[in-house]
């Protein structure tokens, strides 16, 4: 800590220090916001916030219908036809992602990725893994929405 504060007179070190503090503050705000919403009764409220994130462009680029089976609820993310998020499991979905609520919040607050969650066994997958990986763009958009909300 002494080295950094003592060398803040150098513009490049000062800029790096300021940028890294800002990034950490934003990450912490997003993490705290996700944890605040992490109880199951707030999941419908959170999904409502995510509905505007499903754009025609995202639907066109992704083309996947997925079911998120969380600890005590299921949600269908239709990025294939309609571009909607709705409660309940659609049996015709391309992939099903099963996870605890906590893992879902880690995905949307950026503290883990779909690949890392899958490899660690926290994310159960039914269906084509390549289709499931296409959902990472949506999770990144969710991270951005949480960051904006936390500000």
């Amino acid at each position: 800590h002494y080295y950094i504060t003592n060398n803040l007179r150098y513009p490049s070190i000062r800029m790096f220090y300021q940028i890294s503090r800002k990034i950490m503050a934003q990450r912490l705000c997003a993490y705290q916001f996700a944890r605040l919403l992490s109880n199951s009764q707030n999941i419908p409220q959170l999904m409502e916030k995510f509905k505007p994130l499903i754009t025609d462009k995202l639907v066109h680029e992704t083309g996947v219908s997925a079911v998120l089976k969380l600890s005590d609820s299921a949600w269908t993310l239709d990025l294939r036809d309609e571009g909607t998020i709705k409660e309940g499991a659609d049996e015709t979905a391309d992939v099903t992602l099963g996870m605890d609520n906590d893992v879902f919040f880690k995905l949307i607050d950026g503290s883990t990725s779909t690949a890392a969650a899958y490899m660690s066994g926290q994310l159960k997958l039914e269906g084509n893994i390549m289709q499931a990986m296409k959902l990472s763009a949506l999770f990144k958009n969710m991270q951005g929405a949480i960051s904006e909300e936390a500000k």
Side-chain angles (χ1 to χ4, degrees):
H1 183 60
Y2 172 77
Y3 177 77
I4 291 175
T5 55
N6 192 36
N7 289 303
L8 286 180
R9 64 180 175 261
Y10 298 109
S12 59
I13 293 175
R14 186 179 328 118
M15 184 176 71
F16 173 76
Y17 182 71
Q18 289 170 343
I19 291 171
S20 63
R21 284 188 57 164
K22 188 171 189 170
I23 289 171
M24 290 303 293
Q26 287 175 344
R27 180 68 89 156
L28 185 60
C29 286
Y31 178 79
Q32 289 170 336
F33 181 73
R35 290 296 159 253
L36 178 70
L37 292 174
S38 66
N39 73 40
S40 59
Q41 53 195 315
N42 289 325
I43 289 179
Q45 178 184 1
L46 190 60
M47 290 298 186
E48 281 298 317
K49 290 183 187 307
F50 293 150
K51 285 182 180 181
L53 300 177
I54 300 182
T55 62
D56 290 338
K57 180 182 177 193
L58 185 65
V59 170
H60 178 71
E61 290 174 354
T62 309
V64 174
S65 178
V67 171
L68 294 179
K69 286 189 178 177
L70 303 176
S71 299
D72 53 3
S73 63
W75 295 85
T76 299
L77 309 175
D78 184 356
L79 303 177
R80 178 180 55 198
D81 300 320
E82 301 170 21
T84 60
I85 297 177
K86 57 186 173 189
E87 193 165 6
D90 182 355
E91 300 303 319
T92 64
D94 300 320
V95 294
T96 300
L97 304 172
M99 67 193 93
D100 291 336
N101 289 354
D102 192 47
V103 175
F104 175 66
F105 287 105
K106 287 180 183 178
L107 284 172
I108 62 173
D109 73 13
S111 60
T112 193
S113 67
T114 50
Y118 177 73
M119 297 301 262
S120 67
Q122 296 175 327
L123 173 68
K124 307 293 184 223
L125 174 69
E126 294 174 25
N128 186 332
I129 191 168
M130 296 310 289
Q131 296 280 44
M133 296 315 262
K134 291 180 180 180
L135 294 172
S136 50
L138 178 61
F139 290 128
K140 289 208 183 302
N141 289 348
M142 290 175 172
Q143 290 170 16
I146 285 179
S147 294
E148 288 300 314
E149 184 81 21
K151 287 182 182 177

